[in-house]
Amino acid sequence: MMLPWGLLPHLSMPVLRMVVVMVLTLLVHPAAGSAAPPVVLCNDEHFPLSYRDDAGRPAGLYPEILREAVRRSGVQLDIRVAPWTRALRALETGEAALGGAFATTRARGQWRVSLPLYLARIVAVLPQDSTVAASRVAELKPYRTCIVEGWNYGPPLDSALADGGWNLDPAPSEALCLRKLEAGRVQVALVGEAGAQRLTDSAVSTRMRTVLVGLELPVHVFWPLTVPDETVRRMDVALRHMNEDGTLGRIVRRVIEP
């Protein structure tokens, strides 16, 4: 940075000293005037899609995809994991973007929605000896069902809920939904297929079964308006290229498949 020596003769000494101090401060601390990178929060209890590893770092499919998109786009993002309900509140207040969410008409009207990170299949998890028989979400209506708070399960469940009469028991995470099921507090847990396969230990999984109920939903980043448009645009460009060159598929296979 060039010092504005040409201005010196025209400034009084107090003003001159202030200008010199400000310029030297920026030279020594160039980041002092720059904004902190936008924060993206992913669910910290959504293994294997997003979680906190043994060292406390963000891990799983969504952080992996976001880090690669950051590398390609050249933008700066602070990728973290947090409890799902806290991440939702941070999105609503504009403090952080939300990584790993299902888009809805309401969401698209309130926040900017990224290109898809992943196509998630939602399944019904039941005890092995359950008599529940369902191939569509609407057929689960008679049963006490756990859903994840803040998730939107898409048009099929929205339309099924419209007529009322559902017996829903929300939980803050997939893991807690499955624990409720294991404890017999609910009859069905509606969770992601990847989580259903990996969250339960081997002893429990032999007592559970999964049923496809016709739900496949793309997963996105929700960007609050506090994030610069250029950041959102460059991340979408990176995600598009990652999809076209097969990188997204390779990351999914590496992280999700056993």
Side-chain angles (χ1 to χ4, degrees):
M1 178 182 293
M2 295 290 293
L3 290 173
W5 301 118
L7 294 176
L8 298 188
H10 306 286
L11 299 175
S12 63
M13 287 306 295
V15 175
L16 175 60
R17 283 194 296 269
M18 185 182 300
V19 170
V20 172
V21 168
M22 290 174 63
V23 172
L24 291 176
T25 299
L26 288 173
L27 285 172
V28 176
H29 301 288
S34 62
V39 174
V40 180
L41 294 178
C42 300
N43 192 344
D44 70 348
E45 201 175 24
H46 197 190
F47 182 87
L49 301 178
S50 62
Y51 59 97
R52 197 185 308 275
D53 68 13
D54 293 339
R57 296 183 298 262
L61 180 65
Y62 303 153
E64 286 270 347
I65 290 173
L66 290 172
R67 281 193 285 263
E68 176 61 17
V70 164
R71 186 189 69 79
R72 292 185 179 215
S73 66
V75 304
Q76 296 295 314
L77 290 181
D78 184 359
I79 301 166
R80 308 179 190 176
V81 289
W84 181 243
T85 50
R86 187 186 305 168
L88 286 171
R89 287 196 300 271
L91 172 68
E92 290 167 356
T93 59
E95 298 172 56
L98 181 64
F102 302 132
T104 64
T105 302
R106 172 180 172 271
R108 291 186 182 278
Q110 191 166 359
W111 300 292
R112 289 165 296 176
V113 177
S114 76
L115 290 179
L117 308 181
Y118 172 62
L119 185 64
R121 178 181 290 164
I122 306 300
V123 297
V125 183
L126 314 165
Q128 281 286 3
D129 58 359
S130 172
T131 58
V132 173
S135 58
R136 296 183 299 113
V137 168
E139 294 168 353
L140 297 174
K141 181 178 176 179
Y143 308 103
R144 186 168 181 80
T145 301
C146 185
I147 60 174
V148 180
E149 292 175 5
W151 277 25
N152 184 287
Y153 289 84
L157 186 59
D158 288 347
S159 59
L161 290 173
D163 62 1
W166 279 70
N167 188 4
L168 298 179
D169 187 347
S173 69
E174 287 183 311
L176 289 177
C177 256
L178 291 174
R179 288 173 201 160
K180 284 187 176 186
L181 182 65
E182 293 160 14
R185 295 168 55 190
V186 296
Q187 295 167 281
V188 183
L190 274 179
V191 300
E193 184 178 39
Q197 291 174 346
R198 304 280 290 275
L199 277 170
T200 54
D201 60 42
S202 56
V204 171
S205 63
T206 59
R207 301 197 300 270
M208 300 292 168
R209 60 186 173 93
T210 61
V211 176
L212 299 180
V213 287
L215 283 181
E216 283 192 336
L217 302 171
V219 177
H220 306 264
V221 178
F222 288 0
W223 300 103
L225 298 180
T226 51
V227 175
D229 291 341
E230 182 64 9
T231 296
V232 176
R233 186 192 68 80
R234 289 167 63 179
M235 285 293 288
D236 269 353
V237 169
L239 289 170
R240 182 180 298 110
H241 291 164
M242 290 166 64
N243 183 51
E244 290 171 351
D245 68 17
T247 300
L248 283 180
R250 287 191 293 273
I251 295 175
V252 168
R253 288 189 293 273
R254 186 178 76 244
V255 175
I256 299 297
E257 294 180 0

